[in-house]
Short mmCIF file of all heavy atoms in Angstrom, two decimals:
data_model
loop_
_atom_site.label_atom_id
_atom_site.label_comp_id
_atom_site.label_asym_id
_atom_site.label_seq_id
_atom_site.Cartn_x
_atom_site.Cartn_y
_atom_site.Cartn_z
N MET A 6 127.63 -152.41 28.47
CA MET A 6 127.33 -152.52 27.05
C MET A 6 128.10 -153.71 26.51
O MET A 6 129.26 -153.92 26.85
CB MET A 6 127.72 -151.21 26.34
CG MET A 6 127.16 -151.08 24.96
SD MET A 6 127.59 -149.55 24.06
CE MET A 6 126.88 -148.27 25.04
N THR A 7 127.46 -154.47 25.64
CA THR A 7 128.11 -155.64 25.05
C THR A 7 129.19 -155.21 24.06
O THR A 7 129.23 -154.05 23.62
CB THR A 7 127.10 -156.52 24.31
OG1 THR A 7 126.59 -155.80 23.19
CG2 THR A 7 125.97 -156.97 25.23
N THR A 8 130.03 -156.15 23.71
CA THR A 8 131.08 -155.88 22.73
C THR A 8 130.48 -155.47 21.39
O THR A 8 130.98 -154.55 20.74
CB THR A 8 131.97 -157.14 22.55
OG1 THR A 8 132.45 -157.55 23.83
CG2 THR A 8 133.14 -156.86 21.64
N THR A 9 129.41 -156.14 21.00
CA THR A 9 128.74 -155.80 19.74
C THR A 9 128.21 -154.38 19.78
O THR A 9 128.40 -153.61 18.83
CB THR A 9 127.59 -156.78 19.47
OG1 THR A 9 128.11 -158.11 19.42
CG2 THR A 9 126.89 -156.46 18.17
N ALA A 10 127.57 -154.02 20.88
CA ALA A 10 127.03 -152.67 21.01
C ALA A 10 128.14 -151.64 21.02
O ALA A 10 128.01 -150.56 20.42
CB ALA A 10 126.19 -152.55 22.28
N GLU A 11 129.24 -151.94 21.69
CA GLU A 11 130.40 -151.04 21.70
C GLU A 11 130.94 -150.83 20.28
O GLU A 11 131.23 -149.71 19.88
CB GLU A 11 131.51 -151.59 22.60
CG GLU A 11 131.23 -151.52 24.07
CD GLU A 11 131.42 -150.13 24.66
OE1 GLU A 11 131.92 -149.22 23.97
OE2 GLU A 11 131.04 -149.96 25.82
N ALA A 12 131.04 -151.92 19.53
CA ALA A 12 131.56 -151.84 18.15
C ALA A 12 130.62 -151.03 17.27
O ALA A 12 131.07 -150.17 16.49
CB ALA A 12 131.77 -153.23 17.58
N LEU A 13 129.32 -151.27 17.39
CA LEU A 13 128.35 -150.51 16.59
C LEU A 13 128.38 -149.03 16.95
O LEU A 13 128.31 -148.16 16.09
CB LEU A 13 126.94 -151.07 16.80
CG LEU A 13 126.66 -152.41 16.14
CD1 LEU A 13 125.31 -152.95 16.60
CD2 LEU A 13 126.71 -152.27 14.63
N SER A 14 128.50 -148.75 18.24
CA SER A 14 128.56 -147.37 18.69
C SER A 14 129.79 -146.66 18.14
O SER A 14 129.72 -145.51 17.68
CB SER A 14 128.56 -147.33 20.22
OG SER A 14 128.63 -146.02 20.70
N ALA A 15 130.92 -147.34 18.16
CA ALA A 15 132.16 -146.77 17.62
C ALA A 15 132.04 -146.52 16.13
O ALA A 15 132.49 -145.48 15.62
CB ALA A 15 133.34 -147.69 17.92
N GLN A 16 131.42 -147.46 15.42
CA GLN A 16 131.23 -147.29 13.98
C GLN A 16 130.29 -146.12 13.70
O GLN A 16 130.53 -145.31 12.81
CB GLN A 16 130.67 -148.56 13.35
CG GLN A 16 131.68 -149.67 13.25
CD GLN A 16 131.07 -150.95 12.69
OE1 GLN A 16 129.85 -151.07 12.58
NE2 GLN A 16 131.92 -151.90 12.32
N ALA A 17 129.21 -146.03 14.45
CA ALA A 17 128.25 -144.95 14.26
C ALA A 17 128.89 -143.59 14.53
O ALA A 17 128.58 -142.61 13.85
CB ALA A 17 127.04 -145.15 15.16
N ALA A 18 129.78 -143.53 15.50
CA ALA A 18 130.43 -142.27 15.83
C ALA A 18 131.28 -141.74 14.69
O ALA A 18 131.56 -140.54 14.61
CB ALA A 18 131.29 -142.44 17.09
N GLN A 19 131.69 -142.62 13.77
CA GLN A 19 132.51 -142.21 12.63
C GLN A 19 131.69 -141.66 11.47
O GLN A 19 132.24 -141.09 10.53
CB GLN A 19 133.34 -143.41 12.15
CG GLN A 19 134.26 -143.99 13.19
CD GLN A 19 135.25 -142.96 13.73
OE1 GLN A 19 135.88 -142.25 12.96
NE2 GLN A 19 135.35 -142.87 15.04
N LEU A 20 130.36 -141.83 11.53
CA LEU A 20 129.51 -141.34 10.45
C LEU A 20 129.34 -139.83 10.51
O LEU A 20 129.45 -139.23 11.59
CB LEU A 20 128.12 -142.00 10.56
CG LEU A 20 128.04 -143.50 10.37
CD1 LEU A 20 126.65 -144.01 10.73
CD2 LEU A 20 128.41 -143.87 8.94
N PRO A 21 129.02 -139.21 9.38
CA PRO A 21 128.70 -137.79 9.38
C PRO A 21 127.44 -137.55 10.24
O PRO A 21 126.60 -138.45 10.40
CB PRO A 21 128.42 -137.45 7.92
CG PRO A 21 128.99 -138.58 7.14
CD PRO A 21 128.99 -139.77 8.03
N PRO A 22 127.29 -136.37 10.81
CA PRO A 22 126.16 -136.09 11.71
C PRO A 22 124.79 -136.46 11.13
O PRO A 22 123.96 -137.04 11.83
CB PRO A 22 126.27 -134.59 11.96
CG PRO A 22 127.73 -134.30 11.81
CD PRO A 22 128.19 -135.23 10.72
N ALA A 23 124.55 -136.15 9.87
CA ALA A 23 123.24 -136.45 9.27
C ALA A 23 122.97 -137.96 9.26
O ALA A 23 121.85 -138.41 9.54
CB ALA A 23 123.15 -135.88 7.87
N GLU A 24 123.98 -138.75 8.97
CA GLU A 24 123.81 -140.19 8.94
C GLU A 24 123.66 -140.75 10.36
O GLU A 24 122.92 -141.70 10.58
CB GLU A 24 124.98 -140.86 8.22
CG GLU A 24 124.96 -140.62 6.72
CD GLU A 24 126.06 -141.37 6.00
OE1 GLU A 24 126.49 -142.44 6.47
OE2 GLU A 24 126.49 -140.87 4.94
N ARG A 25 124.37 -140.17 11.32
CA ARG A 25 124.19 -140.61 12.72
C ARG A 25 122.77 -140.37 13.17
O ARG A 25 122.17 -141.21 13.85
CB ARG A 25 125.16 -139.87 13.65
CG ARG A 25 126.57 -140.44 13.59
CD ARG A 25 127.43 -139.81 14.63
NE ARG A 25 127.47 -138.38 14.38
CZ ARG A 25 128.45 -137.57 14.73
NH1 ARG A 25 129.47 -138.03 15.39
NH2 ARG A 25 128.41 -136.31 14.43
N MET A 26 122.19 -139.22 12.79
CA MET A 26 120.80 -138.92 13.15
C MET A 26 119.86 -139.93 12.53
O MET A 26 118.90 -140.37 13.17
CB MET A 26 120.41 -137.50 12.72
CG MET A 26 120.93 -136.42 13.64
SD MET A 26 120.33 -136.60 15.33
CE MET A 26 118.58 -136.38 15.10
N GLU A 27 120.14 -140.33 11.30
CA GLU A 27 119.29 -141.32 10.65
C GLU A 27 119.35 -142.66 11.39
O GLU A 27 118.33 -143.32 11.60
CB GLU A 27 119.72 -141.50 9.19
CG GLU A 27 118.75 -142.32 8.39
CD GLU A 27 119.09 -142.33 6.91
OE1 GLU A 27 119.58 -141.32 6.38
OE2 GLU A 27 118.85 -143.37 6.29
N VAL A 28 120.55 -143.04 11.82
CA VAL A 28 120.71 -144.27 12.59
C VAL A 28 119.94 -144.17 13.90
O VAL A 28 119.22 -145.09 14.29
CB VAL A 28 122.20 -144.58 12.84
CG1 VAL A 28 122.37 -145.72 13.85
CG2 VAL A 28 122.90 -144.92 11.54
N VAL A 29 120.06 -143.04 14.58
CA VAL A 29 119.35 -142.84 15.84
C VAL A 29 117.84 -142.93 15.63
O VAL A 29 117.13 -143.60 16.39
CB VAL A 29 119.72 -141.47 16.47
CG1 VAL A 29 118.79 -141.12 17.61
CG2 VAL A 29 121.16 -141.49 16.94
N GLU A 30 117.34 -142.29 14.59
CA GLU A 30 115.90 -142.33 14.30
C GLU A 30 115.43 -143.75 14.03
O GLU A 30 114.37 -144.16 14.51
CB GLU A 30 115.57 -141.41 13.13
CG GLU A 30 115.65 -139.95 13.49
CD GLU A 30 115.44 -139.02 12.30
OE1 GLU A 30 115.18 -139.51 11.18
OE2 GLU A 30 115.53 -137.80 12.51
N ARG A 31 116.22 -144.52 13.30
CA ARG A 31 115.83 -145.90 13.01
C ARG A 31 115.81 -146.75 14.29
O ARG A 31 114.93 -147.59 14.47
CB ARG A 31 116.76 -146.52 11.97
CG ARG A 31 116.52 -145.98 10.59
CD ARG A 31 117.38 -146.68 9.58
NE ARG A 31 117.15 -146.13 8.24
CZ ARG A 31 117.59 -146.69 7.14
NH1 ARG A 31 118.26 -147.82 7.19
NH2 ARG A 31 117.35 -146.14 5.98
N ILE A 32 116.79 -146.52 15.14
CA ILE A 32 116.82 -147.28 16.41
C ILE A 32 115.62 -146.91 17.26
O ILE A 32 114.94 -147.78 17.81
CB ILE A 32 118.15 -147.03 17.16
CG1 ILE A 32 119.30 -147.68 16.39
CG2 ILE A 32 118.06 -147.58 18.58
CD1 ILE A 32 120.67 -147.30 16.91
N LEU A 33 115.33 -145.62 17.38
CA LEU A 33 114.18 -145.19 18.17
C LEU A 33 112.87 -145.72 17.59
O LEU A 33 111.98 -146.17 18.33
CB LEU A 33 114.14 -143.67 18.29
CG LEU A 33 115.23 -143.05 19.15
CD1 LEU A 33 115.17 -141.53 19.08
CD2 LEU A 33 115.13 -143.52 20.59
N ASP A 34 112.75 -145.70 16.27
CA ASP A 34 111.56 -146.24 15.62
C ASP A 34 111.39 -147.73 15.94
O ASP A 34 110.28 -148.21 16.11
CB ASP A 34 111.60 -146.04 14.11
CG ASP A 34 111.33 -144.60 13.70
OD1 ASP A 34 110.83 -143.82 14.53
OD2 ASP A 34 111.63 -144.26 12.53
N SER A 35 112.51 -148.44 16.02
CA SER A 35 112.42 -149.88 16.29
C SER A 35 111.93 -150.15 17.71
O SER A 35 111.40 -151.23 17.99
CB SER A 35 113.78 -150.55 16.08
OG SER A 35 114.67 -150.25 17.15
N LEU A 36 112.09 -149.19 18.61
CA LEU A 36 111.63 -149.34 19.99
C LEU A 36 110.17 -148.97 20.16
O LEU A 36 109.54 -149.36 21.14
CB LEU A 36 112.48 -148.47 20.92
CG LEU A 36 113.95 -148.85 21.02
CD1 LEU A 36 114.70 -147.80 21.83
CD2 LEU A 36 114.11 -150.23 21.63
N ASP A 37 109.63 -148.22 19.22
CA ASP A 37 108.27 -147.71 19.32
C ASP A 37 107.30 -148.65 18.61
O ASP A 37 106.77 -148.33 17.56
CB ASP A 37 108.20 -146.30 18.73
CG ASP A 37 106.89 -145.61 19.04
OD1 ASP A 37 106.20 -146.03 19.99
OD2 ASP A 37 106.56 -144.64 18.33
N GLN A 38 107.10 -149.80 19.21
CA GLN A 38 106.21 -150.80 18.63
C GLN A 38 104.88 -150.78 19.37
O GLN A 38 104.83 -150.60 20.58
CB GLN A 38 106.84 -152.19 18.73
CG GLN A 38 108.15 -152.33 17.97
CD GLN A 38 107.98 -152.10 16.49
OE1 GLN A 38 107.03 -152.56 15.88
NE2 GLN A 38 108.91 -151.37 15.89
N PRO A 39 103.77 -150.99 18.65
CA PRO A 39 102.47 -151.03 19.30
C PRO A 39 102.41 -152.17 20.32
O PRO A 39 102.98 -153.23 20.12
CB PRO A 39 101.50 -151.30 18.15
CG PRO A 39 102.24 -150.99 16.90
CD PRO A 39 103.68 -151.18 17.20
N ASP A 40 101.71 -151.91 21.41
CA ASP A 40 101.51 -152.91 22.45
C ASP A 40 100.04 -152.88 22.82
O ASP A 40 99.60 -151.97 23.53
CB ASP A 40 102.40 -152.60 23.65
CG ASP A 40 102.30 -153.63 24.76
OD1 ASP A 40 101.28 -154.35 24.85
OD2 ASP A 40 103.24 -153.71 25.55
N ALA A 41 99.28 -153.84 22.32
CA ALA A 41 97.83 -153.85 22.53
C ALA A 41 97.47 -153.87 24.00
O ALA A 41 96.51 -153.21 24.42
CB ALA A 41 97.22 -155.04 21.81
N ALA A 42 98.21 -154.61 24.81
CA ALA A 42 97.91 -154.68 26.24
C ALA A 42 98.10 -153.32 26.90
O ALA A 42 97.28 -152.88 27.70
CB ALA A 42 98.78 -155.73 26.92
N LEU A 43 99.18 -152.65 26.54
CA LEU A 43 99.44 -151.32 27.10
C LEU A 43 98.39 -150.32 26.63
O LEU A 43 97.91 -149.49 27.41
CB LEU A 43 100.84 -150.85 26.72
CG LEU A 43 101.33 -149.56 27.35
CD1 LEU A 43 101.31 -149.64 28.87
CD2 LEU A 43 102.73 -149.24 26.86
N ASP A 44 98.02 -150.40 25.35
CA ASP A 44 96.98 -149.52 24.82
C ASP A 44 95.67 -149.72 25.56
O ASP A 44 94.95 -148.75 25.87
CB ASP A 44 96.77 -149.76 23.32
CG ASP A 44 97.95 -149.31 22.48
OD1 ASP A 44 98.79 -148.54 22.98
OD2 ASP A 44 98.02 -149.72 21.30
N THR A 45 95.34 -150.96 25.88
CA THR A 45 94.11 -151.25 26.63
C THR A 45 94.17 -150.67 28.03
O THR A 45 93.20 -150.08 28.51
CB THR A 45 93.88 -152.78 26.69
OG1 THR A 45 93.73 -153.28 25.36
CG2 THR A 45 92.64 -153.12 27.51
N LEU A 46 95.33 -150.81 28.68
CA LEU A 46 95.49 -150.23 30.03
C LEU A 46 95.29 -148.72 30.00
O LEU A 46 94.62 -148.16 30.88
CB LEU A 46 96.87 -150.58 30.59
CG LEU A 46 97.08 -152.03 31.01
CD1 LEU A 46 98.54 -152.28 31.36
CD2 LEU A 46 96.18 -152.38 32.19
N TRP A 47 95.89 -148.05 29.00
CA TRP A 47 95.76 -146.59 28.92
C TRP A 47 94.32 -146.19 28.60
O TRP A 47 93.81 -145.20 29.14
CB TRP A 47 96.71 -146.01 27.88
CG TRP A 47 98.07 -145.74 28.45
CD1 TRP A 47 99.24 -146.33 28.10
CD2 TRP A 47 98.40 -144.80 29.48
NE1 TRP A 47 100.27 -145.84 28.85
CE2 TRP A 47 99.78 -144.88 29.72
CE3 TRP A 47 97.66 -143.90 30.25
CZ2 TRP A 47 100.44 -144.12 30.66
CZ3 TRP A 47 98.33 -143.13 31.20
CH2 TRP A 47 99.69 -143.24 31.39
N ALA A 48 93.64 -146.94 27.74
CA ALA A 48 92.25 -146.63 27.42
C ALA A 48 91.38 -146.77 28.66
O ALA A 48 90.51 -145.92 28.92
CB ALA A 48 91.75 -147.55 26.31
N ASN A 49 91.61 -147.81 29.46
CA ASN A 49 90.86 -147.99 30.70
C ASN A 49 91.14 -146.85 31.68
O ASN A 49 90.23 -146.35 32.35
CB ASN A 49 91.18 -149.33 31.34
CG ASN A 49 90.64 -150.50 30.56
OD1 ASN A 49 89.73 -150.35 29.75
ND2 ASN A 49 91.20 -151.68 30.77
N GLU A 50 92.40 -146.46 31.78
CA GLU A 50 92.77 -145.35 32.68
C GLU A 50 92.08 -144.07 32.25
O GLU A 50 91.54 -143.33 33.08
CB GLU A 50 94.30 -145.17 32.68
CG GLU A 50 94.79 -144.04 33.56
CD GLU A 50 94.60 -144.28 35.05
OE1 GLU A 50 94.42 -145.42 35.46
OE2 GLU A 50 94.63 -143.28 35.80
N ALA A 51 92.08 -143.79 30.96
CA ALA A 51 91.43 -142.58 30.46
C ALA A 51 89.93 -142.62 30.75
O ALA A 51 89.35 -141.61 31.18
CB ALA A 51 91.68 -142.43 28.96
N SER A 52 89.30 -143.77 30.54
CA SER A 52 87.87 -143.90 30.83
C SER A 52 87.58 -143.70 32.31
O SER A 52 86.61 -143.02 32.68
CB SER A 52 87.37 -145.28 30.39
OG SER A 52 87.42 -145.40 29.01
N ASP A 53 88.42 -144.28 33.16
CA ASP A 53 88.25 -144.12 34.61
C ASP A 53 88.39 -142.66 35.03
O ASP A 53 87.63 -142.16 35.86
CB ASP A 53 89.25 -144.98 35.37
CG ASP A 53 88.98 -146.48 35.25
OD1 ASP A 53 87.88 -146.85 34.79
OD2 ASP A 53 89.88 -147.27 35.60
N ARG A 54 89.38 -141.99 34.46
CA ARG A 54 89.58 -140.57 34.82
C ARG A 54 88.41 -139.71 34.35
O ARG A 54 87.97 -138.82 35.07
CB ARG A 54 90.89 -140.06 34.22
CG ARG A 54 92.11 -140.64 34.89
CD ARG A 54 93.37 -140.06 34.30
NE ARG A 54 94.55 -140.75 34.81
CZ ARG A 54 95.78 -140.28 34.69
NH1 ARG A 54 95.99 -139.13 34.07
NH2 ARG A 54 96.79 -140.97 35.17
N LEU A 55 87.91 -139.97 33.14
CA LEU A 55 86.78 -139.21 32.63
C LEU A 55 85.54 -139.45 33.50
O LEU A 55 84.82 -138.50 33.84
CB LEU A 55 86.49 -139.58 31.17
CG LEU A 55 85.30 -138.87 30.53
CD1 LEU A 55 85.48 -137.35 30.56
CD2 LEU A 55 85.10 -139.36 29.10
N ALA A 56 85.32 -140.70 33.88
CA ALA A 56 84.17 -141.00 34.74
C ALA A 56 84.30 -140.30 36.09
O ALA A 56 83.33 -139.73 36.61
CB ALA A 56 84.05 -142.51 34.94
N ALA A 57 85.50 -140.29 36.66
CA ALA A 57 85.73 -139.61 37.94
C ALA A 57 85.50 -138.11 37.79
O ALA A 57 84.92 -137.46 38.68
CB ALA A 57 87.14 -139.89 38.45
N TYR A 58 85.91 -137.54 36.67
CA TYR A 58 85.69 -136.11 36.40
C TYR A 58 84.19 -135.82 36.33
O TYR A 58 83.68 -134.87 36.94
CB TYR A 58 86.38 -135.69 35.11
CG TYR A 58 86.01 -134.30 34.66
CD1 TYR A 58 86.55 -133.19 35.28
CD2 TYR A 58 85.11 -134.12 33.61
CE1 TYR A 58 86.21 -131.91 34.87
CE2 TYR A 58 84.76 -132.83 33.21
CZ TYR A 58 85.31 -131.74 33.84
OH TYR A 58 84.95 -130.48 33.43
N ARG A 59 83.48 -136.66 35.61
CA ARG A 59 82.03 -136.45 35.45
C ARG A 59 81.28 -136.63 36.78
O ARG A 59 80.24 -136.00 36.98
CB ARG A 59 81.48 -137.39 34.39
CG ARG A 59 81.92 -136.97 33.00
CD ARG A 59 81.37 -137.88 31.94
NE ARG A 59 81.68 -137.34 30.61
CZ ARG A 59 81.67 -138.06 29.51
NH1 ARG A 59 81.34 -139.35 29.54
NH2 ARG A 59 81.97 -137.50 28.35
N ARG A 60 81.80 -137.46 37.68
CA ARG A 60 81.18 -137.62 39.00
C ARG A 60 81.58 -136.50 39.95
O ARG A 60 81.10 -136.45 41.07
CB ARG A 60 81.59 -138.97 39.61
CG ARG A 60 80.98 -140.18 38.94
CD ARG A 60 81.26 -141.46 39.72
NE ARG A 60 82.68 -141.70 39.96
CZ ARG A 60 83.48 -142.44 39.19
NH1 ARG A 60 83.00 -143.01 38.11
NH2 ARG A 60 84.75 -142.60 39.52
N GLY A 61 82.47 -135.63 39.51
CA GLY A 61 82.92 -134.53 40.36
C GLY A 61 84.01 -134.91 41.34
O GLY A 61 84.32 -134.14 42.26
N GLU A 62 84.61 -136.06 41.17
CA GLU A 62 85.66 -136.52 42.08
C GLU A 62 87.01 -135.88 41.80
O GLU A 62 87.85 -135.79 42.69
CB GLU A 62 85.78 -138.04 42.01
CG GLU A 62 84.52 -138.75 42.49
CD GLU A 62 84.55 -140.24 42.22
OE1 GLU A 62 85.57 -140.74 41.69
OE2 GLU A 62 83.55 -140.91 42.51
N ILE A 63 87.22 -135.47 40.57
CA ILE A 63 88.44 -134.76 40.21
C ILE A 63 88.06 -133.55 39.38
O ILE A 63 86.99 -133.51 38.78
CB ILE A 63 89.45 -135.66 39.45
CG1 ILE A 63 88.83 -136.20 38.15
CG2 ILE A 63 89.96 -136.78 40.32
CD1 ILE A 63 89.80 -136.99 37.28
N LYS A 64 88.93 -132.57 39.37
CA LYS A 64 88.65 -131.34 38.62
C LYS A 64 89.67 -131.18 37.49
O LYS A 64 90.79 -131.66 37.57
CB LYS A 64 88.71 -130.13 39.55
CG LYS A 64 87.65 -130.17 40.61
CD LYS A 64 87.67 -128.95 41.47
CE LYS A 64 86.62 -129.16 42.54
NZ LYS A 64 86.05 -128.00 43.06
N ALA A 65 89.25 -130.48 36.48
CA ALA A 65 90.14 -130.19 35.36
C ALA A 65 91.07 -129.04 35.74
O ALA A 65 90.74 -128.21 36.57
CB ALA A 65 89.33 -129.81 34.13
N VAL A 66 92.23 -129.03 35.13
CA VAL A 66 93.21 -127.98 35.34
C VAL A 66 93.52 -127.37 33.98
O VAL A 66 93.71 -128.10 33.00
CB VAL A 66 94.50 -128.55 35.98
CG1 VAL A 66 95.54 -127.47 36.15
CG2 VAL A 66 94.18 -129.23 37.30
N ALA A 67 93.56 -126.07 33.91
CA ALA A 67 93.86 -125.39 32.64
C ALA A 67 95.27 -125.76 32.17
O ALA A 67 96.20 -125.86 32.98
CB ALA A 67 93.74 -123.88 32.81
N LEU A 68 95.41 -125.96 30.87
CA LEU A 68 96.71 -126.28 30.31
C LEU A 68 97.75 -125.24 30.69
O LEU A 68 98.89 -125.59 31.02
CB LEU A 68 96.61 -126.42 28.78
CG LEU A 68 97.93 -126.67 28.05
CD1 LEU A 68 98.57 -127.97 28.51
CD2 LEU A 68 97.71 -126.68 26.55
N SER A 69 97.38 -123.97 30.66
CA SER A 69 98.35 -122.92 30.99
C SER A 69 98.86 -123.08 32.43
O SER A 69 100.03 -122.80 32.71
CB SER A 69 97.72 -121.54 30.80
OG SER A 69 96.57 -121.41 31.61
N ASP A 70 98.00 -123.56 33.34
CA ASP A 70 98.44 -123.79 34.73
C ASP A 70 99.43 -124.96 34.81
O ASP A 70 100.40 -124.90 35.56
CB ASP A 70 97.24 -124.07 35.63
CG ASP A 70 96.33 -122.87 35.80
OD1 ASP A 70 96.77 -121.73 35.52
OD2 ASP A 70 95.17 -123.07 36.22
N VAL A 71 99.17 -126.00 34.05
CA VAL A 71 100.07 -127.15 34.04
C VAL A 71 101.43 -126.74 33.48
O VAL A 71 102.47 -127.06 34.05
CB VAL A 71 99.47 -128.31 33.22
CG1 VAL A 71 100.47 -129.45 33.08
CG2 VAL A 71 98.18 -128.79 33.84
N ILE A 72 101.41 -126.02 32.38
CA ILE A 72 102.67 -125.58 31.77
C ILE A 72 103.43 -124.67 32.72
O ILE A 72 104.64 -124.83 32.91
CB ILE A 72 102.40 -124.88 30.42
CG1 ILE A 72 101.91 -125.91 29.40
CG2 ILE A 72 103.66 -124.17 29.91
CD1 ILE A 72 101.41 -125.32 28.10
N ALA A 73 102.73 -123.75 33.35
CA ALA A 73 103.39 -122.82 34.29
C ALA A 73 104.02 -123.58 35.45
O ALA A 73 105.10 -123.22 35.93
CB ALA A 73 102.38 -121.80 34.79
N LYS A 74 103.37 -124.64 35.90
CA LYS A 74 103.89 -125.41 37.02
C LYS A 74 105.23 -126.07 36.70
O LYS A 74 106.11 -126.15 37.55
CB LYS A 74 102.87 -126.49 37.43
CG LYS A 74 103.32 -127.35 38.57
CD LYS A 74 102.25 -128.35 38.96
CE LYS A 74 102.73 -129.25 40.09
NZ LYS A 74 101.71 -130.21 40.49
N TYR A 75 105.38 -126.53 35.47
CA TYR A 75 106.58 -127.27 35.10
C TYR A 75 107.58 -126.47 34.28
O TYR A 75 108.66 -126.97 33.97
CB TYR A 75 106.18 -128.55 34.35
CG TYR A 75 105.43 -129.49 35.25
CD1 TYR A 75 104.05 -129.62 35.18
CD2 TYR A 75 106.10 -130.24 36.20
CE1 TYR A 75 103.36 -130.47 36.02
CE2 TYR A 75 105.44 -131.08 37.05
CZ TYR A 75 104.05 -131.19 36.95
OH TYR A 75 103.38 -132.03 37.79
N GLN A 76 107.23 -125.25 33.96
CA GLN A 76 108.12 -124.43 33.16
C GLN A 76 109.26 -123.93 34.05
O GLN A 76 109.03 -123.49 35.17
CB GLN A 76 107.35 -123.25 32.58
CG GLN A 76 108.03 -122.58 31.46
CD GLN A 76 107.08 -121.58 30.77
OE1 GLN A 76 106.29 -120.95 31.44
NE2 GLN A 76 107.17 -121.48 29.48
N THR A 77 110.46 -124.01 33.54
CA THR A 77 111.61 -123.52 34.28
C THR A 77 112.13 -122.27 33.59
O THR A 77 112.05 -122.12 32.38
CB THR A 77 112.73 -124.57 34.36
OG1 THR A 77 113.13 -124.90 33.03
CG2 THR A 77 112.26 -125.81 35.08
N THR A 78 112.66 -121.42 34.37
CA THR A 78 113.27 -120.22 33.81
C THR A 78 114.76 -120.31 34.01
O THR A 78 115.24 -120.91 34.98
CB THR A 78 112.73 -118.95 34.49
OG1 THR A 78 112.97 -119.06 35.90
CG2 THR A 78 111.23 -118.80 34.24
N ALA A 79 115.49 -119.75 33.10
CA ALA A 79 116.94 -119.75 33.19
C ALA A 79 117.38 -118.87 34.36
O ALA A 79 116.80 -117.80 34.59
CB ALA A 79 117.55 -119.26 31.90
N PRO A 80 118.38 -119.32 35.11
CA PRO A 80 118.85 -118.49 36.22
C PRO A 80 119.45 -117.18 35.69
O PRO A 80 120.09 -117.16 34.66
CB PRO A 80 119.91 -119.35 36.90
CG PRO A 80 120.22 -120.45 35.95
CD PRO A 80 119.09 -120.55 34.98
N ARG A 81 119.21 -116.14 36.42
CA ARG A 81 119.76 -114.84 36.02
C ARG A 81 121.18 -114.71 36.53
O ARG A 81 121.47 -115.08 37.65
CB ARG A 81 118.89 -113.72 36.57
CG ARG A 81 117.51 -113.75 35.98
CD ARG A 81 116.66 -112.67 36.56
NE ARG A 81 115.29 -112.90 36.16
CZ ARG A 81 114.48 -111.96 35.77
NH1 ARG A 81 114.88 -110.73 35.74
NH2 ARG A 81 113.26 -112.24 35.41
N THR A 82 122.03 -114.18 35.66
CA THR A 82 123.43 -114.02 36.08
C THR A 82 123.80 -112.57 36.13
O THR A 82 123.14 -111.72 35.61
CB THR A 82 124.38 -114.76 35.10
OG1 THR A 82 124.15 -114.29 33.78
CG2 THR A 82 124.15 -116.24 35.20
#
């Protein structure tokens, strides 16, 4: 981390929690910029997947199955 980033981080750490959250939200918002090239790539990918589905090359999976696959349960103690 640069000296500037270290200084900003130290200053932010001194703020009340609500203000720190606001700073975090603003930083995250600044990273979430539209990218037309990326949007085009995703649109093409979605079109390709839909076409493959319609040709019967891939099958749909129920949302509940996807969630169940990635859902973790807390270990029992």
Side-chain angles (χ1 to χ4, degrees):
M6 194 180 298
T7 66
T8 305
T9 301
E11 288 283 352
L13 287 171
S14 179
Q16 287 177 347
Q19 300 302 312
L20 296 171
E24 289 184 29
R25 282 187 300 206
M26 281 301 296
E27 190 172 326
V28 170
V29 168
E30 287 175 3
R31 287 184 181 192
I32 291 170
L33 290 175
D34 285 345
S35 75
L36 295 173
D37 191 20
Q38 298 298 319
D40 182 337
L43 187 57
D44 291 344
T45 298
L46 288 172
W47 274 116
N49 291 340
E50 179 68 20
S52 293
D53 291 347
R54 290 182 188 195
L55 179 58
Y58 171 76
R59 288 181 173 161
R60 289 189 305 266
E62 296 171 3
I63 59 175
K64 296 183 184 207
V66 178
L68 176 61
S69 59
D70 293 342
V71 174
I72 291 171
K74 179 178 178 179
Y75 294 103
Q76 197 170 37
T77 59
T78 57
R81 296 178 191 222
T82 56

